[in-house]
Every structure is written in C-alpha cells, then in structure tokens.
Amino acid sequence: MNKEMQDESEIFRGTTTGTTLLRDKRSVRGTPKSGMPAFVLGEELADLAEHDPRIVVATADLASANRTNDFRDRHPDRFVNFSIAEKNMITAAAGMASTGLIPYVATFASFAAILGTEAIRTDCAYPQMKVRIVGSHSGMSMGFYGSSHHALEDLGMMRCIADLTVVCATDANHLRGILRASIEHPKAMYIRLGRGRDPVVYDEVPQIEFGRSIRLREGEDLTIITCGSQVRASLDAAAKLAEEGVSVRVIDMFTIDSIDVDEVQAAAQTGGILTVEEHNVTGGLGSAIADVLINMPRVKFRKHGIPDKFVEVGPPAALYSHYRLDSDGLAKVVREMLR
C-alpha cells in the first residue's frame, strides 16, 4: 500500500492523529479502485470462477461501489445486475442455488440484511440454499448518508435466523480466505464487509474454518473479542496498553453464528472480556458472547459498540472517534474496565 492510500485509509478509519484530518476532503469524496485496497470481492470471485463454473455474481446497481464489476468484466455471462430490487435479487439467487449454482449477491449491508431479511430467512436459510449474501459498507462507514444507509442492526438480525452462517471479513486477505472457504460450505451465508479501506491485519490469506476464531495477540489481564473493522483498532489499542504494562489478548471472532464457544471459555480465564464491534450493542457480537457467558461462573464482562440509538451524521473517522471505536478510545475503555 503506498503512502497516499495508507493516509487515506487512516483518515477514513480514524486511526490518524489530530482533528484537522477528520475533516479532510478525502474522507468524503468518491472512492477510486486504487483507494480501496481491501475491496477484492470481485477480483477474488473472478479468480475462483475460473476453476468453478458454479459461481455466479449478482448486485443491485452497485457494481462499482462493491467492485463486483471486476467479476463482470471477466465473466459477463455469469453476472446479473438486478437494479434496485434487492429482495427480488436474493429470492432469485435462491432459485439459482436450487439448480446447483453458487450465487454471491452483493449490495450495501443496510439493503442486504435489513431490507432483505425475509428473503434471506425464507428463501435461503430455511431451504438451505447455498446463497452467499454479501453486505458491504456495513456499520456506520457510510457516514454522511445517515441512518438509512448505516447497518448497525444487521448482525443481530442475521444471527437469530436458523441455519444461516454469519461472518465478518477483517481485511483483504481475510476476505479472500472467507470466500475460498465459502464455496463448499453447505449452508446459506451472510458475509459482512466494511467499505474497502480496512487496514491490514493479515499479511497472508488465513486458513478459514467457520465457527473457529483466530487469536491474534496473547494477554492475561483482559481479552478483547472483536470482529471486522474493529480488529485493527483493538490490536493497536492493545499495543498502546502494553507500553503501560497491561497485557491484552485480542481475538478475531469473525464467525458470529456459530460462535467459537471454546475460545470464549478460554477468554473467561483472563481478567475479563470486552467485546468491541461496529454495531448496536444490542443483539450483535457482544450479545452472542453474553449468551455463552451466561452459562459460566461470573466473569467480568462489558459490551462496547454503538449505543442503542441512531448515530450522528458525519465523516466516518469522526464517528469512530466520537463513539470510542478508534485505538485511543478503545484503550480508554479498557482502562476504565480494569479500574
């Protein structure tokens, strides 16, 4: 990643310092392909489709935004644009899957999960169709577009649907690993993505096993269990705290349903558990972890994410800072919890 792309990523994610950069024009202008180092969705699916004729891709007028145009350009006969008919797209994908195809349908998470919940539940999960619903631009990464485009309820809505696997991609290599592992997965899936400027966590494509988490940092004083956009911020916060003598374990709990119970139980043996997510604190990752902990002896536990209300409208980086979802904010939350 060159310096300009890295700077732009830091501005967008709120990992840079100072308040002036939070208002930088680069945080609000359109995003060219060169500025989206983590958005490899179309490219990876196109590579996989070279060797698997079952793979088809559909979107809803967002081929440029989610980079499925990279797939369209290489496999135009296996690509469908449904225009702004997201629910119909998901239902049609279930029909494709019934013929033996493996459809990946991509749109903004606010439209895929929240608008398409009924179609995902009834047409995909219930008959166990191998549809992969890809929700990009999740959380509050759409910033200025406001609540209609924010997806802060999607994990809660998706994880309560039976026979639906729910996963969050952390960065480009992690997304590649998820897509590769998803091909032979027997159930319908919801794959949550950020906006494509996600900072690097995995230097290589990891081996993905759905239902198993990845321990990225060891620690004994406290464990941060996180996913998606918050993994990098959590690692950076743990590094800051290490300088103060605080030992923080960091877990990428990328599978929200089914959850890695063994890793949660292991985390409970540290000084406490803090869940961190770019999602409403009700119903998401924190709630999934709480469902495990309720059957265990008392554990020091706190959920951190978006309060149960609609968020402010503004540049994404400013929002991450405001809700203490950047590394400095997370370090403060850990200090409060340890006190």
Side-chain angles (χ1 to χ4, degrees):
M1 185 186 303
N2 61 42
K3 185 178 186 303
E4 181 179 356
M5 289 165 60
Q6 181 65 46
D7 288 346
E8 187 170 351
S9 178
E10 290 174 352
I11 292 166
F12 186 86
R13 296 302 319 168
T15 56
T16 188
T17 57
T19 58
T20 302
L21 288 176
L22 295 180
R23 298 187 294 272
D24 192 287
K25 293 180 180 178
R26 289 176 291 175
S27 70
V28 298
R29 72 189 186 193
T31 309
K33 181 178 179 180
S34 61
M36 299 198 298
F39 238 112
V40 296
L41 176 65
E43 175 187 305
E44 181 64 27
L45 288 175
D47 288 345
L48 294 172
E50 296 285 353
H51 309 285
D52 195 327
R54 299 173 297 171
I55 295 175
V56 294
V57 171
T59 192
D61 268 357
L62 290 173
S64 295
N66 56 33
R67 303 309 307 174
T68 51
N69 56 7
D70 293 334
F71 183 94
R72 177 200 63 199
D73 293 345
R74 290 170 57 183
H75 304 284
D77 57 331
R78 293 155 68 181
F79 176 86
V80 183
N81 179 16
F82 279 82
S83 191
I84 51 173
E86 291 86 357
K87 290 186 285 186
N88 287 344
M89 175 176 68
I90 295 168
T91 296
M96 296 178 192
S98 72
T99 71
L101 296 174
I102 306 176
Y104 291 78
V105 297
T107 184
F108 291 163
S110 55
F111 304 151
I114 299 172
L115 182 63
T117 296
E118 195 277 334
I120 293 171
R121 170 188 174 272
T122 306
D123 299 334
C124 301
Y126 175 57
Q128 297 191 349
M129 293 292 105
K130 290 179 61 174
V131 179
R132 284 75 178 95
I133 300 97
V134 182
S136 68
H137 300 68
S138 62
M140 54 190 177
S141 65
M142 291 295 281
F144 289 112
Y145 289 82
S147 296
S148 64
H149 284 58
H150 294 164
L152 296 164
E153 309 86 2
D154 57 324
L155 294 179
M157 297 171 75
M158 295 296 100
R159 64 176 284 259
C160 68
I161 297 176
D163 288 325
L164 179 70
T165 299
V166 181
V167 297
C168 297
T170 299
D171 64 6
N173 279 331
H174 195 239
L175 174 56
R176 291 186 189 277
I178 288 172
L179 293 174
R180 294 173 190 180
S182 71
I183 294 175
E184 300 303 335
H185 187 66
K187 296 182 179 181
M189 296 186 68
Y190 174 66
I191 303 173
R192 189 189 211 228
L193 310 183
R195 196 177 177 180
R197 297 180 182 179
D198 314 294
V200 174
V201 171
Y202 295 94
D203 293 328
E204 299 178 347
V205 177
Q207 195 72 28
I208 296 297
E209 181 181 351
F210 299 122
R212 303 297 297 178
S213 58
I214 300 176
R215 189 182 299 189
L216 294 171
R217 185 183 178 101
E218 295 291 349
E220 298 300 329
D221 294 330
L222 183 134
T223 298
I224 295 178
I225 300 180
T226 186
C227 63
S229 66
Q230 290 303 297
V231 175
R232 181 73 265 168
S234 296
L235 287 168
D236 291 345
K240 294 176 189 290
L241 291 162
E243 296 175 359
E244 305 168 16
V246 179
S247 173
V248 177
R249 182 180 300 177
V250 178
I251 306 299
D252 183 355
M253 189 66 68
F254 64 90
T255 308
I256 309 300
D257 189 6
S258 302
I259 208 79
D260 186 347
V261 173
D262 291 343
E263 190 63 30
V264 176
Q265 292 175 338
Q269 304 307 310
T270 65
I273 295 175
L274 172 68
T275 60
V276 177
E277 59 191 312
E278 188 181 343
H279 187 274
N280 191 311
V281 291
T282 301
L285 172 64
S287 296
I289 301 303
D291 287 345
V292 177
L293 296 179
I294 199 170
N295 296 314
M296 297 179 61
R298 185 174 180 179
V299 179
K300 192 173 186 179
F301 175 66
R302 177 172 174 176
K303 297 191 291 185
H304 181 64
I306 305 300
D308 189 18
K309 61 182 181 180
F310 294 109
V311 305
E312 306 296 330
V313 175
L319 295 177
Y320 293 121
S321 176
H322 176 72
Y323 291 105
R324 301 201 295 180
L325 288 170
D326 57 359
S327 59
D328 288 338
L330 291 181
K332 291 177 182 178
V333 173
V334 170
R335 294 187 193 103
E336 291 172 3
M337 189 172 175
L338 292 176
R339 283 200 295 268

